[in-house]
Amino acid sequence: MDQSLFHLLDQDQDLSQRKWTLVNGPVIVGAGPSGLATAACLREQGVPFVVLERAECIASLWQKRTYDRLKLHLPKQFCQLPKLPFPEDFPEYPTKKQFIEYLESYANHFDINPKFNECVQSASYDETSGFWRVKTVSDKVEFEYICRWLVVATGENDECAVPNIEGLAEFGGEVIHACEYKSGGKFQGQKVLVVGCGNSGMELSLDLCNHNASPSMVVRSSVHVLPREVFGKSTFEIAVSMMKWLPLWFVDKLMLILAWLVLGNTEKYGLKRPSVGPLELKNTQGKTPVLDIGALEKIKSGDINVVPGIKRFSYKQVELINGENLDIDAVVLATGYRSNVPSWLQEGDFFCKNGFPKAPFPHGWKGNGGLYAVGFTRRGLSGAASDATRIAQDIGKLWNDETKQHKKIAIACQRRCISQF
C-alpha cells in the first residue's frame, strides 16, 4: 500500500471506521455525455476508473428532463462522442430517443458501468497524502472513494435555474420549469407564458402552438436568431467551414447577412439583435444563438406573442414592464440550468463561484492536484469530446508512469530478496 495512504489513515482515525475504497485510477463524477466520453477515452488508454452518478441511469438530463419533441440542434457529426460515431442510418438531427440509444450503446461498447444512485456529498483534496476524498451517500449509507485524480463531469446543466420573480407564488396557476415540460398537449386551449427566449423557450412556444395553446414568450433582452439551415446546409457547419479561412468578426458579419436574407428583419417582431455577433457572443459569454426550426413563422403570424420583461405576477395575471397586463393560465420557465459544482467540491482555485472553471477555453480542463473538468466549455458536445480526449491522454501518461515506477520498485525488491539466498 502507498505510504501516503498509510499517512492518510493515521491522520484520519474516522476513516478506518467508515466504508471506503481506494480507486486505482480516477473517479469521474457524472454519467452524462461528458462523463461517458471521458470514461471511454480512459478505457482506450487502459486506465481503470469509477463513474459515480446520483441518478439511476446514464444521461439523466436527457432521459428525465427534456421535452418529447427535442432533437439535436446541430448535425450529428458535431455531436458524436470520441471513438464511436453515430449509426449511419440515424438522421442528420437525431431525436431525443435516438440520442439516448446512442449513449446507451456507447456505454455498452466501452464497458462503462457507473455506480448509480451515488450522490456525491463532498470532494476534497488532501495535500499531505496527495489523494482526493470523495464522499457519497447511497440509500442513506455513507461511502468514501479515495483517488489520485478527480474528473468533474456534472456539466453546465446540472440544476434548474429558477428566477425569483415578484408575485410568482401568488399566481395560482400551474408553474413548471422547462425540465418538467414534456408536451404541449396538456396545455391545449390555455394561455401560457413562456419565460425565456433561448432555444428551449422558442421550441416550447412552437410546441404549444402545435397543440393549440396560445403562448406568449418573454423576451427580456436581445437575442440572435439564425436559420438552422441555409440552402439545405447547416448554418453551424457553414460557420465552422468559414472560420478555417476567415477571422471570426468577418464570419459573424456573413452569418448575419445570411440570417437577414433567410429570416428577414427580426427586430420588428420584438427580437432585437445584440451588438456583438453571434459567434463572438458565444465565445466570450457562452450565449448560444437560437437556431430557428419554425418558431419565427409563428411569431410573424401572431400565433406566438412576443412580450417584454416581467414586472410582477398576480392571481392568473402578469404585469409586464411596459405596463401591459396579460391574463394567463400557466407559466413555463425556460430559464435554463446552472452548475452545482460549488455545492460539493471543496476547492477554490480552479472553479469560480458560478460553478465554471476560471480559466477560459481551451485551458479550463485541468486544475492542480489531479483535478479535471469536462463539459464546461459552453461549446456543447463537441467541446466535451475535446476535453475528454485531453483529460484521458493526460491521466493516461501519469498512470502509466506511476505503474512503471511501481513495477521497477517491485522488481528491485524481488532481486534483493533473491540475493539474500
Side-chain angles (χ1 to χ4, degrees), residues 36-105:
L36 296 177
T38 307
C41 292
L42 286 167
R43 182 73 75 204
E44 292 282 288
Q45 294 276 335
V47 180
F49 55 83
V50 169
V51 181
L52 304 178
E53 170 56 50
R54 68 180 179 184
E56 71 276 10
C57 61
I58 64 167
S60 61
L61 173 65
W62 281 87
Q63 299 217 46
K64 296 185 170 187
R65 293 185 283 166
T66 49
Y67 40 95
D68 295 341
R69 64 164 287 140
L70 178 64
K71 293 183 179 181
L72 294 180
H73 291 125
L74 301 180
K76 61 184 180 181
Q77 67 264 32
F78 297 105
C79 300
Q80 63 193 24
L81 301 185
K83 317 292 183 183
L84 188 68
F86 280 97
E88 288 186 9
D89 61 345
F90 272 30
E92 187 173 15
Y93 300 95
T95 64
K96 163 186 170 178
K97 182 182 177 185
Q98 289 170 326
F99 186 57
I100 292 169
E101 286 175 4
Y102 166 71
L103 293 177
E104 288 175 339
S105 66

Side-chain angles (χ1 to χ4, degrees), residues 190-196 201 205 208-209 213-219 302-307 318 320 324 326-328 330-332:
Q190 295 187 32
K191 297 175 182 176
V192 184
L193 186 73
V194 178
V195 183
S205 297
L208 287 163
C209 275
S214 300
S216 294
M217 184 176 65
V218 176
V219 181
D303 293 314
I304 297 175
N305 180 32
V306 174
V307 299
V318 62
L320 306 173
E324 184 182 357
L326 297 178
D327 294 325
I328 49 174
V331 177
V332 179

Side-chain angles (χ1 to χ4, degrees), residues 138-177:
S138 179
D139 292 327
K140 298 182 180 179
V141 177
E142 295 184 353
F143 200 86
E144 184 164 341
Y145 295 87
I146 299 173
C147 56
R148 284 287 191 195
W149 305 285
L150 176 65
V151 181
V152 180
T154 49
E156 307 164 5
N157 303 317
D158 198 56
E159 289 185 350
C160 301
V162 178
N164 183 18
I165 306 174
E166 184 182 345
L168 187 58
E170 288 79 48
F171 170 62
E174 183 172 8
V175 179
I176 63 170
H177 190 273

Side-chain angles (χ1 to χ4, degrees), residues 347-365:
E347 183 275 341
D349 295 328
F350 187 45
F351 279 89
C352 299
K353 290 182 179 180
N354 68 356
F356 282 80
K358 292 179 180 178
F361 178 83
H363 307 294
W365 61 277

